Amino acid sequence: MSIRSLFFRFDGRICRKDFWIGHIAVDIVMAALGAALVFGNAGIAASVGVAPSFELGVAGNVIVSVLMLVAVVAGFAVAIKRLHDRNRSGWFILVFSIPGFAQGLNPVLPPAAANAIHTVLSVVFGAWYYVELGFLRGTVGDNRFGPDPIGDAR
C-alpha cells in the first residue's frame, strides 16, 4: 500500500501492522506540529510555562494549522480503513468520539463531576479504540470493504 493510499484514501482495508505504522506516524507529526505551535508562539508558550524559541508569525501559524488538519484527516483515513478490516463502517469512528462530546457536560455539572465523567469515558473508549483497531484480528477473507489485506497469511 502506498503512503498516499494509507493516509489519504478512506476506502479499502489495512492490517494491524499498517494501522500501527500509520497511527504512530500521525502521532509523531502531530507532536512535532504541536511543539512548533507551543514554542513558536509567545502567548501559548507563556501559558504552559516555557520560553518561546522562535516566532511563527501569522503565516507560520496558518501553515502549521493546515498541516495539523492534514494530519487529522490522515489519522481518520488510517482508523477508518482499519475499521473496514474489522467489517465496521467508517462512521463507527464517531463512537470513539463520545468522550469529546462529554466535555459538553462542563456547563451542566460541577467541574469535578464533569472532569471525572470525561476521564472515565476517555479511558474506556480509548482502550476500546486500541483493542478494536490495534490488537483484534480483522475479518478473515473478503468482506464488504474489500479483500483481506493479509490474504492467506493468517
Side-chain angles (χ1 to χ4, degrees):
M1 171 169 290
S2 72
I3 290 174
R4 181 178 178 191
S5 181
L6 176 63
F7 292 116
F8 299 108
R9 292 199 53 166
F10 292 87
D11 60 324
R13 299 167 60 180
I14 59 172
C15 62
R16 289 172 283 189
K17 179 187 80 165
D18 290 342
F19 166 77
W20 283 112
I21 290 169
H23 187 67
I24 290 169
V26 168
D27 284 351
I28 290 169
V29 168
M30 290 295 284
L33 293 170
L37 280 177
V38 168
F39 293 108
N41 289 287
I44 297 174
S47 72
V48 294
V50 298
S53 303
F54 52 90
E55 186 60 44
L56 280 175
V58 175
N61 280 319
V62 169
I63 291 168
V64 169
S65 298
V66 169
L67 291 174
M68 284 184 118
L69 182 61
V70 169
V72 167
V73 169
F76 275 117
V78 168
I80 287 170
K81 283 193 290 289
R82 186 67 189 123
L83 282 168
H84 288 171
D85 192 41
R86 299 275 305 133
N87 205 22
R88 295 189 185 275
S89 166
W91 289 105
F92 196 79
I93 198 78
L94 294 175
V95 170
F96 300 119
S97 301
I98 288 173
F101 299 130
Q103 286 183 325
L105 296 173
N106 285 346
V108 178
L109 296 173
N115 288 339
I117 290 170
H118 181 257
T119 300
V120 169
L121 289 175
S122 294
V123 168
V124 169
F125 283 89
W128 182 14
Y129 174 87
Y130 284 109
V131 168
E132 179 85 21
L133 302 183
F135 296 109
L136 294 179
R137 185 170 80 173
T139 306
V140 176
D142 295 354
N143 69 16
R144 61 190 169 137
F145 300 104
D148 190 337
I150 296 179
D152 295 330
R154 289 188 204 212

